[in-house]
Amino acid sequence: MAKAERILIVDDEIVIRELMSDILTDEGFSVASAPNGMAALEMLQSTNDFVVLFTDIMMPEMDGIELIRKARLVAPTLVPIVMTGYATLETARAAVKEGAYDYVLKPFNLSEIKMSVTNALERCRLANENASLLEITELFNISERIASIRSEDMLLEFVLEAALQRVEAERGSLMLVSEDGTQMTVARGVGLPQDYDNAAVHVKNSISGWVAENVKPLFVEDIRQEPSVDKLSWQLRDNSFISVPLERKSSALSGPEGEKGRVIAVLNVTEKRNQKTFTEADLKILSIMANHAAAALENVRLLRDVEDAQREIVFTLGEIVETRSQETGFHVKRVAEYCKLLGLKCGLSPAEAEILRLASPLHDVGKVGIPDAILNKPGKLTPEEFDIIKTHATMGYDMLKVTKGHVLQAAAVIALQHHERFDGRGYPHGLSGKDIHIFGRITCIADVFDALGVKRVYKEAWELDRILDLFREEQGKQFDPEITDVFFDSLDEILAIRDSLSDIE
Ligand code: C2E
Ligand code: SIN
Ligand code: SIN
Ligand code: FE
Ligand code: FE
């Protein structure tokens, strides 16, 4: 051994520390020891040449698992191994999940310790050779990019392209596992024969299927040496390939099947450029990418579910409001479209304008709390009755403010502020000017324009000219003067929306 590799031993029992030190020193390693986690962390902080950490699990103050977690922050390349008695084998397994590389059982078996250290050092060597700083930085960038993609299609495409590029493969595919776990479909492919597009294969007779069922990567350097996988192979031109599973992270959502359905997709690569053979390093890179891709894929799907659910809630609540107040569904649809149009013209981004469009139909959701006798009173309201009507703004806000998500949060603000006036004489809070959220100022204009144009239990529909007169009159009073200008500038488009979503249909 050219240079003695440094090993740190942490145990609260001096007998164990001395025994381990003797064993490893005899093997030619350079050994240091610490009686507890704090002391160990200090040693790791002061020198960065430790390669392997042996730690006891059950220790007072800081246990071995916590030490591993903290040690990895101080020394990311350190390989941690836990030492444990039979009684805590379960804990040892948990430690391995936390990032421990291996565990050895007390009382110690010499060859077991040697084996464990040898493996650990081998892993270190691999890590050093293959994961150069450049490589790690690049992988990090890819991972960040993966996490930022919001659409499943784009995510799959990016993951496959990045994977092929990183390992210099000419051919590859991403195969999705079907809901029931029996089929695999080619969701994305590069360099595949034409007829593989969207092709489905049964898990029982494909390589990806094997990987999905066994939740294990498959790395074949030369398929001619592996008779067991050969029979699974489908028209591979090349003898070397790697297939890695994209494993589900959230076990809570995986349902009663447990293990089955743990794999969402499988990433396959083959035909390394210049007739080269894939390496362990390629496998490692692909495993890391598959890991990040799986998390991102789950996220994208979860978000889509949340957004579907939100759309559903928004729609249902909107319908309830219409039924209660005998307004037609077209009223809220028109308001939504006016809002989006005005929003875009006021400089909102397309995404913001879309949120406004989805949220604005809920502006009157608080009316569900107003008694019928008042809400649907055919004539003019008394001041007391109107005070009760005014509570619909705060009531709507209270209903929506507890929700999560952009759309319902926006709806909460709109419900609260759609009767505020630019001059500060509105309700419920008498806010003025830009203190009123732009969503509130826009929805106010859209709502009043539409309310005036239709018949209500308490009023007839107004002629357009009369409505426009009121808008000129209220510019800068009830309405934001700038948005009123935008409204007049967009009148043709507003009227086109009014015609296309007319009540008389
Ligand atoms: P809504 O029917 O959706 O009306 C929304 C807003 O459009 C009103 O907010 C008001 O700003 C405007 N608007 C509607 N009709 C007229 C009108 O004839 N003249 C003028 N100048 N503006 C009008 P507002 O006033 O805060 O009323 C909120 C809600 O209270 C109304 O929602 C409606 O549900 C109810 N409401 C208001 N006045 C009466 C009434 O006299 N009788 C009954 N039964 N309900 C009323
Ligand atoms: C939605 O799709 O629910 C709104 C859009 C967004 O939140 O970005
Ligand atoms: C979220 O806010 O994280 C999801 C809901 C949405 O985008 O509207
Ligand atoms: Fe209202
Ligand atoms: Fe309304």
Side-chain angles (χ1 to χ4, degrees), residues 363-364 367 392 418-419 427 447:
H363 65 271
D364 272 340
K367 279 184 182 171
H392 81 278
H418 73 282
H419 288 295
Y427 62 86
D447 182 36

XYZ file of all heavy atoms in Angstrom, residues 363-364 367 392 418-419 427 447, ligand 4:
78
model
N -65.529 34.750 -7.784
C -65.568 36.029 -7.048
C -66.767 36.131 -6.109
O -66.693 36.720 -5.053
C -65.533 37.221 -8.014
C -66.728 37.331 -8.915
N -66.784 36.716 -10.142
C -67.915 37.972 -8.768
C -67.949 36.986 -10.728
N -68.663 37.748 -9.901
N -67.893 35.527 -6.449
C -69.098 35.638 -5.625
C -69.404 34.386 -4.815
O -70.534 34.198 -4.379
C -70.310 35.953 -6.522
C -70.480 37.454 -6.736
O -69.931 38.239 -5.932
O -71.150 37.825 -7.713
N -71.542 34.286 -1.735
C -73.005 34.453 -1.778
C -73.750 33.198 -1.335
O -74.934 33.268 -1.027
C -73.457 34.839 -3.201
C -73.275 36.322 -3.517
C -73.844 36.640 -4.894
C -73.643 38.110 -5.258
N -73.993 38.358 -6.672
N -70.622 38.927 1.641
C -70.223 37.847 0.737
C -68.746 37.937 0.355
O -68.117 36.919 0.052
C -71.119 37.786 -0.519
C -70.780 38.748 -1.616
N -71.195 40.061 -1.618
C -70.061 38.602 -2.761
C -70.752 40.667 -2.720
N -70.053 39.796 -3.431
N -63.187 42.199 -4.865
C -63.836 42.588 -6.120
C -64.867 43.718 -5.957
O -65.334 44.248 -6.950
C -64.439 41.379 -6.846
C -65.688 40.809 -6.235
N -65.672 40.003 -5.134
C -66.996 40.929 -6.581
C -66.902 39.631 -4.821
N -67.734 40.200 -5.687
N -65.204 44.077 -4.705
C -66.091 45.229 -4.507
C -65.378 46.419 -3.881
O -66.019 47.384 -3.469
C -67.312 44.843 -3.663
C -68.279 43.973 -4.406
N -68.981 44.421 -5.506
C -68.645 42.672 -4.222
C -69.753 43.421 -5.966
N -69.542 42.357 -5.207
N -66.152 48.164 -0.423
C -66.144 47.276 0.739
C -65.394 45.993 0.390
O -65.186 45.721 -0.781
C -67.588 46.969 1.177
C -68.463 46.258 0.161
C -68.462 44.863 0.046
C -69.304 46.964 -0.691
C -69.281 44.215 -0.879
C -70.127 46.321 -1.626
C -70.097 44.943 -1.712
O -70.904 44.306 -2.624
N -66.844 42.190 -13.805
C -68.086 41.790 -13.130
C -69.182 42.836 -13.318
O -70.320 42.511 -13.667
C -67.794 41.581 -11.641
C -69.027 41.116 -10.866
O -69.823 40.335 -11.436
O -69.180 41.530 -9.706
Fe -69.854 40.246 -5.650
